[in-house]
Amino acid sequence: SVSPLPEVTVNYRYGLPVVTLTLPTRGERCQFTIKPMAVTVGAFLQDVQREDKGIEKAEVFARDGSKVSDATLMEVVLMNDFKLVINSKMYSVSTPKKGKLSSEHATEMEDIKSLVHRLFVAIHIEDHQVRKERELLQKLEYLKEQLLPLEQMKDRIAHSADAKTSRLLWVGLALMSTQGGALAWLTWWVYSWDIMEPVTYFITYGSAMAFYAYFVLTKQDYIYPHAKDRQFLHYFYRQSKSQRFNVQQYNKLKEDLAEAEESLRRLRQPLQLRLPIQQINNKD
């Protein structure tokens, strides 16, 4: 079993906590200045192990014996007493209470915390933006690779659907021309206008009924460009189903691509994200 040893102390110096401990291999006291707002438990333990290569195990436990996560900020740990395990030894660490600190030191510490946080953000913001830009470029490349075969298939299907729609329009024109010629032939050569007038009336009325039926079925007026687009989509989706073209997957990839491009465009705006203008110009 491990036994607690009071060999680790915590003191505040210039508003920052300083952890002093004895290195097990070198047997000498070593001080570690903690930046509470920036240093995590994992980073602190790595600094300790880096200082003494003979340390194989280093962990931090709360007073109740529960292990503290490496991602926890040291500021949270230093709020209460804790236990530090180095190799096979456990050290009980008592932290100074904030109530015992003078108001002047407390104010100074808060100012230093704020300054450290601003410096941390200023130093790492550029690396973060460059890393994010690299991730977005990789995502764009991946999406374009996924879209390439779908785009080729979509172009073939769209070309075929457009050709069928154009043929249908020409067939409609041919039928209307034939109808007009037949009515003229029947009016002047076979019958008279007195006989053909009721026929033309009912043909016109039948056409009006057909247009109204189109409105009832589609909830749209029969406007030629809209009707052409509707017929194109009908042929497109029917042929997509026969050729196993996944329209939903294609639309999802296009949306992801547009979103990634917009994110990259916003990322490269130096006025919004405080990136160096010269660096952005070089990248563009």
Side-chain angles (χ1 to χ4, degrees):
S1 61
V2 294
S3 57
L5 300 174
E7 298 184 9
V8 181
T9 60
V10 178
N11 297 301
Y12 281 86
R13 183 176 302 171
Y14 303 110
L16 292 177
V18 179
V19 179
T20 305
L21 56 88
T22 303
L23 300 177
T25 303
R26 295 159 53 180
E28 60 183 18
R29 302 285 285 176
C30 186
Q31 294 181 346
F32 298 88
T33 302
I34 306 299
K35 303 179 182 66
M37 293 292 293
V39 176
T40 62
V41 172
F44 166 68
L45 296 177
Q46 288 179 1
D47 291 340
V48 174
Q49 291 178 305
R50 191 180 300 111
E51 191 67 27
D52 190 341
K53 302 300 183 181
I55 299 177
E56 298 179 355
K57 176 184 177 183
E59 296 176 319
V60 173
F61 292 86
R63 286 185 299 180
D64 58 1
S66 59
K67 186 178 183 299
V68 180
S69 170
D70 290 344
T72 304
L73 290 174
M74 286 298 296
E75 182 184 30
V76 178
V77 176
L78 294 174
M79 289 180 178
N80 300 291
D81 298 343
F82 62 94
K83 297 178 182 180
L84 177 63
V85 174
I86 298 179
N87 291 340
S88 60
K89 295 183 180 181
M90 176 181 289
Y91 303 92
S92 295
V93 184
S94 298
T95 59
K97 302 302 179 183
K98 289 188 176 181
K100 296 181 180 179
L101 298 175
S102 65
S103 59
E104 181 180 354
H105 286 175
T107 304
E108 182 182 0
M109 185 173 63
E110 292 299 327
D111 293 340
I112 292 178
K113 287 180 180 179
S114 177
L115 177 60
V116 169
H117 179 70
R118 291 198 301 268
L119 289 175
F120 179 82
V121 172
I123 292 173
H124 291 81
I125 185 66
E126 183 175 348
D127 293 339
H128 170 73
Q129 302 302 339
V130 172
R131 183 171 62 253
K132 186 66 176 178
E133 181 185 19
R134 187 181 303 112
E135 292 176 357
L136 287 173
L137 290 174
Q138 292 176 352
K139 183 178 181 180
L140 284 173
E141 183 178 358
Y142 171 76
L143 291 174
K144 289 179 180 179
E145 290 178 357
Q146 295 293 316
L147 274 170
L148 181 60
L150 295 178
E151 288 282 7
Q152 295 174 348
M153 183 179 295
K154 178 248 183 185
D155 290 340
R156 291 196 301 268
I157 296 175
H159 180 73
S160 176
D162 185 68
K164 289 183 178 180
T165 305
S166 297
R167 284 198 298 269
L168 182 63
L169 294 177
W170 284 106
V171 168
L173 178 62
L175 290 176
M176 292 179 66
S177 300
T178 303
Q179 182 188 60
L183 291 176
W185 178 70
L186 291 173
T187 301
W188 281 296
W189 283 277
V190 179
Y191 304 110
S192 64
W193 175 246
D194 294 336
I195 296 176
M196 294 303 300
E197 183 178 9
V199 175
T200 57
Y201 170 80
F202 283 109
I203 291 176
T204 304
Y205 184 75
S207 300
M209 290 182 60
F211 294 149
Y212 183 75
Y214 178 87
F215 171 77
V216 171
L217 294 175
T218 64
K219 304 300 185 294
Q220 293 179 352
D221 292 334
Y222 189 82
I223 302 175
Y224 292 120
H226 295 174
K228 176 181 179 296
D229 294 340
R230 186 179 184 87
Q231 194 62 39
F232 170 83
L233 290 176
H234 172 72
Y235 286 136
F236 182 87
Y237 278 96
R238 188 172 67 179
Q239 195 163 352
S240 297
K241 185 176 181 180
S242 64
Q243 296 189 16
R244 301 182 182 277
F245 175 73
N246 194 330
V247 179
Q248 288 75 19
Q249 180 186 6
Y250 173 80
N251 291 336
K252 181 64 169 57
L253 290 174
K254 292 290 287 186
E255 292 175 359
D256 293 343
L257 181 64
E259 182 180 353
E261 289 177 345
E262 176 64 17
S263 300
L264 184 61
R265 184 188 65 81
R266 295 180 58 188
L267 187 69
R268 288 176 170 177
Q269 290 183 359
L271 295 181
Q272 286 189 3
L273 297 172
R274 296 182 297 177
L275 283 175
I277 297 179
Q278 183 63 34
Q279 179 181 356
I280 299 301
N281 291 336
N282 292 338
K283 288 179 182 178
D284 291 339

